[in-house]
Amino acid sequence: MKPERSFASDNNAGVHPAVLDAIVSANRGHVVGYGDDFYTESAIASFRQHFGNDIEVFFVFNGTAANVLGLKALTQSYHAVICTEPAHIYTDECGAPERFTGCKLIPLSAPQGKLTVEAVRAAYHGIGDQHHVQPRVIAITQATEMGTTYKPAEIRALSDFAHAHEMFVHMDGARIANAAAALGQSLRQATRDLGVDVLSFGGTKNGLMGGEAVVFFDKKLAENFLYVRKQGMQLASKMRFIAVQFEALLKDNLWVESARHANRMARFLEEEVRRIPQLKVVYPVEANGVFVKLPHEAIAKIQNRYFFYVWNEEQSVVRWMCSFDTTEDDIREFIKFVRAEVGG
Ligand SMILES: Cc1ncc(COP(=O)(O)O)c(C=O)c1O
């Protein structure tokens, strides 16, 4: 029998029981659809407690939509979005950002998944030239696709550069909870206080059944977002069931406890991996993912029992993710199997 839990993705985990309970308790009677209901109002109030009263927040079904629609709100089709080569918006969204915004994405090589001001400055050209797309957004991911985190000063430097050059900062926060937990920041300190303009706030990877939020730190940027969301086919009629999930996550520190746990499990996994000489951890483990180089022939053998994704085929690097429900025993059992397969 295959093990109950694997390390393929934090999206492969189930729903946190407290989130499921919240869905069940909202499953009473009829309420008005499309967000005009008490539950949605209350969830928005929770967001405002975390991020400040003067924000706007909109719920959507998934992370790709949060990113695409957030970028859409910031751009015209002749604009460009500067991002990293491994950015989810560039590699894993099937061209949806380009399709829906019409913008060109300018991917920059980013060791360890992070943009730097130097790299952005080098890509910032053609300004005012009618033949060139006009850079409008610096798009960063926190925690990054490679399991690393931007330090606060690194984000601040990017925001300062963006704002000095009439650009915005968009943050793909599919794993913002993991990053904030790892850095000991509040959600606000990890985002708004560093100059981020629009945030895709991730819920699903941190224990929701499904739901993400687009958070605007400048209300003016959200002026037409109701229409953008509806045209983007992301307006949920039974909105209450997305809203209550967020309320459960943001209440009683569930967001940070779950994220801390996933991060702690990743560090434990890293320690165990480092004991096996045939394996090499390739990026700093700063959130809930561990990227490992291993003998190529072992990959398929391990995958026979544990499904996971190969991150880089040529380099024989794989990605192992931990979730809110990963246990130390899961890791011990996994490592025992890996060790046997690599002959350690
Ligand atoms: C960095 C990042 N951003 C966004 C997403 C959201 O994707 P989805 O549209 O599958 O919810 C993911 C999910 O894998 C991700 O890893």
Side-chain angles (χ1 to χ4, degrees):
M1 223 175 53
K2 292 217 175 192
E4 230 188 16
R5 284 177 292 273
S6 75
F7 297 86
S9 170
D10 30 11
N11 275 343
N12 286 19
V15 183
H16 192 285
V19 173
L20 215 44
D21 285 350
I23 295 174
V24 170
S25 52
N27 193 27
R28 238 181 261 136
H30 289 203
V31 303
V32 177
Y34 303 107
D36 274 332
D37 65 273
F38 158 79
Y39 299 102
T40 304
E41 204 180 292
S42 176
I44 290 173
S46 294
F47 269 90
R48 293 202 164 121
Q49 273 169 16
H50 282 273
F51 290 105
N53 276 332
D54 53 342
I55 61 150
E56 292 289 359
V57 54
F58 300 85
F59 301 124
V60 295
F61 293 109
N62 60 44
T64 298
N67 287 339
V68 169
L69 301 182
L71 291 172
K72 172 89 185 141
L74 297 175
T75 53
Q76 301 288 334
S77 59
Y78 51 84
H79 284 139
V81 175
I82 298 175
C83 62
T84 65
E85 271 168 1
H88 198 267
I89 57 169
Y90 185 64
T91 59
D92 275 319
E93 298 188 354
C94 194
E98 292 95 326
R99 175 163 193 237
F100 282 89
T101 66
C103 292
K104 184 176 174 121
L105 263 51
I106 301 180
L108 305 184
S109 121
Q112 308 194 343
K114 299 200 266 181
L115 284 180
T116 61
V117 171
E118 292 66 44
V120 172
R121 187 178 282 117
Y124 180 79
H125 51 68
I127 309 307
D129 179 340
Q130 63 184 336
H131 300 286
H132 274 259
V133 285
Q134 300 296 297
R136 186 65 162 169
V137 180
I138 298 178
I140 59 177
T141 307
Q142 178 77 323
T144 73
E145 288 79 2
M146 279 128 131
T148 56
T149 55
Y150 285 88
K151 303 297 164 281
E154 293 170 332
I155 297 180
R156 176 40 76 191
L158 287 164
S159 305
D160 287 348
F161 183 85
H163 298 150
H165 294 84
E166 290 181 37
M167 292 194 288
F168 297 111
V169 174
H170 177 273
M171 180 184 275
D172 175 347
R175 299 188 181 87
I176 187 59
N178 299 92
L183 293 160
Q185 298 165 303
S186 68
L187 291 172
R188 180 179 170 136
Q189 286 166 342
T191 56
R192 181 178 198 172
D193 290 355
L194 300 175
V196 172
D197 297 291
V198 178
L199 167 70
S200 294
F201 184 85
T204 312
K205 292 178 197 305
N206 201 19
L208 300 202
M209 178 181 280
E212 310 279 307
V214 184
V215 186
F216 290 86
F217 300 123
D218 176 352
K219 280 184 166 207
K220 281 207 293 302
L221 297 173
E223 255 165 30
N224 298 313
F225 199 75
L226 283 177
Y227 315 112
V228 170
R229 179 175 61 179
K230 181 65 185 187
Q231 275 203 332
M233 295 160 281
Q234 290 288 316
L235 175 60
S237 53
K238 293 192 180 178
M239 182 84 80
R240 66 172 137 159
F241 296 107
I242 298 185
V244 290
Q245 296 179 65
F246 276 111
E247 176 114 46
L249 191 69
L250 293 177
K251 207 174 61 180
D252 302 333
N253 288 330
L254 181 62
W255 71 272
V256 73
E257 280 162 20
S258 292
R260 257 188 216 138
H261 175 83
N263 293 350
R264 199 163 48 237
M265 289 301 104
R267 283 199 307 275
F268 180 55
L269 176 58
E270 177 195 11
E271 280 164 27
E272 295 295 308
V273 165
R274 286 192 190 280
R275 289 177 206 270
I276 304 178
Q278 292 89 337
L279 307 190
K280 184 169 182 286
V281 175
V282 292
Y283 306 127
V285 177
E286 295 174 345
N288 62 324
V290 185
F291 290 72
V292 179
K293 186 173 172 63
L294 74 177
H296 200 265
E297 61 286 0
I299 295 178
K301 292 194 217 155
I302 303 168
Q303 280 174 329
N304 271 338
R305 185 163 166 77
Y306 287 92
F307 174 68
F308 57 82
Y309 296 100
V310 176
W311 177 254
N312 185 319
E313 189 71 46
E314 297 88 69
Q315 292 174 16
S316 197
V317 170
V318 302
R319 184 188 83 158
W320 293 333
M321 302 298 296
C322 296
S323 333
F324 71 88
D325 64 348
T326 305
T327 68
E328 288 190 9
D329 282 346
D330 292 334
I331 292 171
R332 285 191 195 99
E333 208 183 302
F334 176 59
I335 284 293
K336 195 165 141 200
F337 187 76
V338 170
R339 189 187 286 279
E341 293 304 329
V342 300

